[in-house]
Amino acid sequence: MSIRPVKRLIKSKPTTEGAGVHLRRAFGFGNTSEFDPFLLLDDFRNDVPEDYLAGFPWHPHRGIETITYVLAGTVEHGDSMGNRGAIAAGDVQWMTAGSGIIHQEMPKGDHAGRMHGFQLWANLPSSLKMTAPRYQEVKALDIPEIKDDDATHVRVVCGKFWGKTGPVDGIAADPIYLDVSVPPGRRKTLPVEITRHAFAYVFAGDGKFCNASEPLAVPTEPVGWADTKPHAEADNRSLVLFDRGDELMVQAGDNGIRFLLVSGKPLEEPVAWYGPIVMNTQEQLRQAFNELEKGTFLKKDARG
């Protein structure tokens, strides 16, 4: 078995999206080949209602899937197919935009004004760029939870892990999406197939992700974990991009650590990307925006 070294440790950066929603972007809108098949991860945890209530009014998507995971508050949504609903704390919405959808997402805080969650974009392979749009909405109670003997806790949103299968299915990139909590001071090894790209995003506590026996090839810290100068800890809002291997190791800090662990099989296809539309060629991208202008963006199979 080989432990995945840490390739890069990144702090998510503040940005503004939608009608003025303040959030932090872990990665996206750049060269995302190292994250393939994933395109973007936004952390929209916010405790100030005026910084998020304007939301994400009507906008299009094509060629991707958006995965929204809510920790606190609710996100009300509606779309061009006539769907309406809300996702609340612990819920997940997996939207396959496919050939095209126009939707809106309007965050509402909880009683304390908190609106916490994440949105991940996954690319679709060329063969499914124009597939019919669909939703998979999963309530918190339907997400399998596993508690290991050492009190490590895992919610399996998508994929198979430790004998459990997440409720989201039929996803092209066959991703695994986990919410992992490791107790204070525990060292934990978690399996990740060697063919996958993988990253972790820390959102509570802190810890070290590394191999205890080998030096780390990380630009910010050239020494091995076992040396006297340990690698900088990954804490809240830290993104950890892993290199190749078939498992990863995490050493939880004094307050434990909680993180998203996401992995997927790379598509290795060309990406033509502008805003909310991701295709394979510039010509396909131009066609999508021309269709938006002409009112032909939505396909018959997308209107219900």
Side-chain angles (χ1 to χ4, degrees):
M1 303 296 278
S2 59
I3 298 290
R4 285 180 176 249
V6 173
K7 197 172 187 178
R8 194 164 298 127
L9 181 62
I10 306 163
K11 274 289 195 180
S12 57
K13 296 177 176 60
T15 189
T16 305
E17 282 292 348
V21 177
H22 294 253
L23 50 81
R24 295 181 73 102
R25 179 155 295 149
F27 68 91
F29 290 110
N31 180 8
T32 55
S33 59
E34 293 177 315
F35 296 91
D36 181 16
F38 306 106
L39 297 161
L40 173 150
L41 177 64
D42 280 347
D43 174 352
F44 57 82
R45 288 177 293 157
N46 200 312
D47 298 334
V48 183
E50 53 265 36
D51 285 348
Y52 63 75
L53 284 176
F56 305 90
W58 296 97
H59 60 281
H61 283 296
R62 176 179 284 179
I64 64 170
E65 302 182 284
T66 62
I67 303 98
T68 307
Y69 181 29
V70 175
L71 300 177
T74 59
V75 178
E76 296 177 355
H77 65 89
D79 69 31
S80 50
M81 298 188 290
N83 295 310
R84 295 286 184 277
I87 47 177
D91 297 350
V92 172
Q93 181 194 78
W94 200 295
M95 185 188 80
T96 303
S99 62
I101 198 167
I102 296 175
H103 76 152
Q104 67 171 355
E105 300 159 296
M106 305 305 288
K108 308 290 181 187
D110 63 10
H111 65 281
R114 298 177 305 166
M115 181 67 250
H116 291 186
F118 308 97
Q119 187 168 91
L120 175 69
W121 289 14
N123 201 3
L124 280 169
S126 55
S127 59
L128 293 174
K129 288 287 188 189
M130 298 300 287
T131 193
R134 70 167 179 152
Y135 283 97
Q136 296 184 68
E137 294 198 8
V138 181
K139 297 301 181 186
L141 291 175
D142 295 324
I143 297 176
E145 301 196 15
I146 310 165
K147 197 164 188 178
D148 207 9
D149 293 341
D150 64 357
T152 294
H153 184 270
V154 180
R155 300 187 83 214
V156 185
V157 172
C158 182
K160 294 181 179 179
F161 189 79
W162 283 351
K164 297 281 188 180
T165 301
V168 178
D169 63 7
I171 305 301
D174 189 24
I176 295 176
Y177 189 121
L178 309 172
D179 176 348
V180 181
S181 299
V182 181
R186 292 284 186 183
R187 181 183 297 182
K188 195 69 181 173
T189 302
L190 304 169
V192 183
E193 290 176 28
I194 199 165
T195 56
R196 294 171 173 270
H197 284 165
F199 67 86
Y201 185 73
V202 180
F203 60 97
D206 58 63
K208 300 185 185 76
F209 291 86
C210 35
N211 183 349
S213 60
E214 296 179 9
L216 275 170
V218 181
T220 54
E221 184 54 75
V223 296
W225 193 24
D227 295 342
T228 53
K229 295 180 181 177
H231 177 59
E233 290 192 344
D235 56 9
N236 186 30
R237 305 188 192 278
S238 293
L239 177 82
V240 183
L241 175 64
F242 297 101
D243 213 329
R244 291 303 172 103
D246 51 22
E247 56 186 12
L248 61 88
M249 184 180 291
V250 58
Q251 172 76 47
D254 293 341
N255 297 309
I257 187 170
R258 186 177 178 189
F259 56 94
L260 304 179
L261 176 57
V262 180
S263 67
K265 296 176 181 176
L267 301 178
E268 297 179 340
E269 293 184 351
V271 173
W273 182 1
Y274 187 81
I277 296 174
V278 183
M279 304 303 289
N280 295 107
T281 69
Q282 290 297 318
E283 178 53 37
Q284 291 168 341
L285 205 54
R286 280 193 292 272
Q287 180 181 339
F289 282 97
N290 285 339
E291 290 175 0
L292 272 172
E293 288 183 17
K294 294 176 182 176
T296 59
F297 181 77
L298 301 175
K299 305 308 173 187
K300 287 181 180 180
D301 59 13
R303 291 192 175 113

